[in-house]
């Protein structure tokens, strides 16, 4: 493990926050500077590991996709799709308005 530590400065944190349109307080920026420095140090430790002969993982849990091939199929008939709708008007679902003026 390397003796030197990476240090993410408070100014770098503020710059990254600005790019993300965030406005951390001075205390938050200081805390984030420490936390981000720890993350960078940990990644540095990982890069020192010998990974020769280790197969890359596509998924950490070894899962495979259970989805079938994309095949076009006919849509549900409108009446069937709307059969259990709590509210409808003609051939459409009625939903509550969520946009404010």
């Amino acid at each position: 493990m390397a003796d030197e530590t990476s240090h993410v400065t408070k100014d770098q944190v503020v710059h990254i926050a600005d790019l993300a349109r965030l406005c951390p307080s001075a205390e938050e920026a200081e805390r984030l500077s420490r936390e981000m420095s720890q993350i960078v140090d940990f990644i540095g430790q990982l890069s020192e590991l010998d990974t020769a002969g280790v197969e890359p993982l596509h998924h950490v849990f070894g899962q495979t996709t259970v989805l079938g091939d994309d095949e076009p199929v006919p849509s549900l008939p409108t009446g069937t799709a709307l059969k259990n709708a709590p509210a409808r008007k003609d051939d459409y679902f009625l939903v509550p308005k969520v946009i404010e003026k």
Side-chain angles (χ1 to χ4, degrees), residues 1-2 6 38-49:
M1 189 159 69
S6 303
Q38 290 173 342
I39 292 168
V40 170
D41 289 341
F42 182 71
I43 291 170
Q45 291 175 25
L46 292 177
S47 69
E48 294 174 11
L49 295 174

Side-chain angles (χ1 to χ4, degrees), residues 51-69:
T51 57
V54 177
E55 288 289 321
L57 292 176
H58 298 287
H59 196 285
V60 285
F61 298 114
Q63 295 176 341
T64 58
T65 183
V66 294
L67 302 175
D69 294 331

Side-chain angles (χ1 to χ4, degrees), residues 96-101:
K97 184 176 180 178
V98 293
I99 301 175
E100 297 177 11
K101 289 186 179 185

